[in-house]
Amino acid sequence: MNNSIGNSARVFGAGLRALLVLTLICGVVYPLVVTGVAQGLMPDRANGSEITSNGKVVGSELIGQRYDLPLEEGQETAAPDLKWFQPRPSNGLGTNSVNTRYELILSGATNRSGDNQELIDWVTDAKAAVVKDNSVPGHPVLPSQVPADAVTSSGSGLDPDISPDYAQLQVRRVAERNDLDAGQVEKLVDQHTEGRILGFMGEPRVNVLQLNIALKDLVEQ
């Protein structure tokens, strides 16, 4: 009986020591080492790839955000503020109370099939809105000119980038709304167009937040 109690105590003590050692290594030492390495080698990425404007953090280059007008009484969905470049449609759910342009609580794709009628109707309506919003006098936008990323969300629903085609489609509308020359705005798009990673991975892209910050700076000149 005494030997049994003694063995149980030794097993318990060994288990407790193992728990404490593993907690120290996995819960304290390892996170501190990883954090230290990340801060030393890639502080920007470790801190969330923040984007700043006038010395203030205004977002992350990894998370898309909306550019909408204030929600009016009776509206369920805010209208886009057309003086800014618009991102891809967002399927994020829930609202961050600190910055309501972020839809961070839950994100994801709809997983609807290509022949789903609800998806077809949604894309059709979205395309009509893109055509209407971006057509300016003398330069109508044709439905065939609307790229896929203008009317479909990404897998996460929070894609921070758009295609160069979608950015170029918005140039004349943005120029008109901000009393700018279209050539100036087109130059901004060219300057903020990134190519494929390592020359062959992914697709050319434009970060919408960075582009809109540059647009804001140009308007304020």
Side-chain angles (χ1 to χ4, degrees), residues 85-86 134 147 149-150 161-174 185-186 188-190 192-193 205-208 211:
F85 283 93
Q86 293 295 313
N134 291 282
D149 62 306
D161 302 322
I162 57 176
S163 66
D165 287 343
Y166 188 28
Q168 291 289 348
L169 185 73
Q170 302 182 62
V171 163
R172 291 190 180 277
R173 182 255 298 163
V174 169
V185 180
E186 187 172 10
L188 282 185
V189 172
D190 292 339
H192 288 82
T193 298
R205 62 202 182 280
V206 180
N207 187 281
V208 181
L211 179 59

Side-chain angles (χ1 to χ4, degrees), residues 119-220:
L119 177 62
I120 293 172
D121 292 343
W122 191 82
V123 170
T124 300
D125 292 344
K127 179 176 285 191
V130 170
V131 168
K132 178 177 179 290
D133 290 343
N134 291 282
S135 293
V136 300
H139 296 279
V141 172
L142 302 177
S144 60
Q145 295 175 303
V146 178
D149 62 306
V151 296
T152 57
S153 64
S154 64
S156 70
L158 299 171
D159 195 337
D161 302 322
I162 57 176
S163 66
D165 287 343
Y166 188 28
Q168 291 289 348
L169 185 73
Q170 302 182 62
V171 163
R172 291 190 180 277
R173 182 255 298 163
V174 169
E176 182 183 68
R177 297 273 175 157
N178 290 282
D179 296 320
L180 295 171
D181 179 76
Q184 292 177 289
V185 180
E186 187 172 10
K187 185 177 180 181
L188 282 185
V189 172
D190 292 339
Q191 291 172 342
H192 288 82
T193 298
E194 299 180 49
R196 292 181 171 86
I197 300 172
L198 299 179
F200 66 94
M201 291 190 296
E203 296 292 333
R205 62 202 182 280
V206 180
N207 187 281
V208 181
L209 177 54
Q210 292 175 331
L211 179 59
N212 277 333
I213 290 173
L215 173 63
K216 179 175 178 287
D217 292 339
L218 179 61
V219 170
E220 293 177 348

Side-chain angles (χ1 to χ4, degrees), residues 46-59:
N47 292 326
S49 300
E50 296 172 335
I51 295 178
T52 60
S53 177
N54 296 325
K56 296 181 180 179
V57 176
V58 294

Side-chain angles (χ1 to χ4, degrees), residues 14-32:
L16 181 60
R17 288 192 296 273
L19 174 63
L20 293 175
V21 170
L22 289 173
T23 298
L24 179 64
I25 293 174
C26 299
V28 179
V29 176
Y30 177 73
L32 288 176

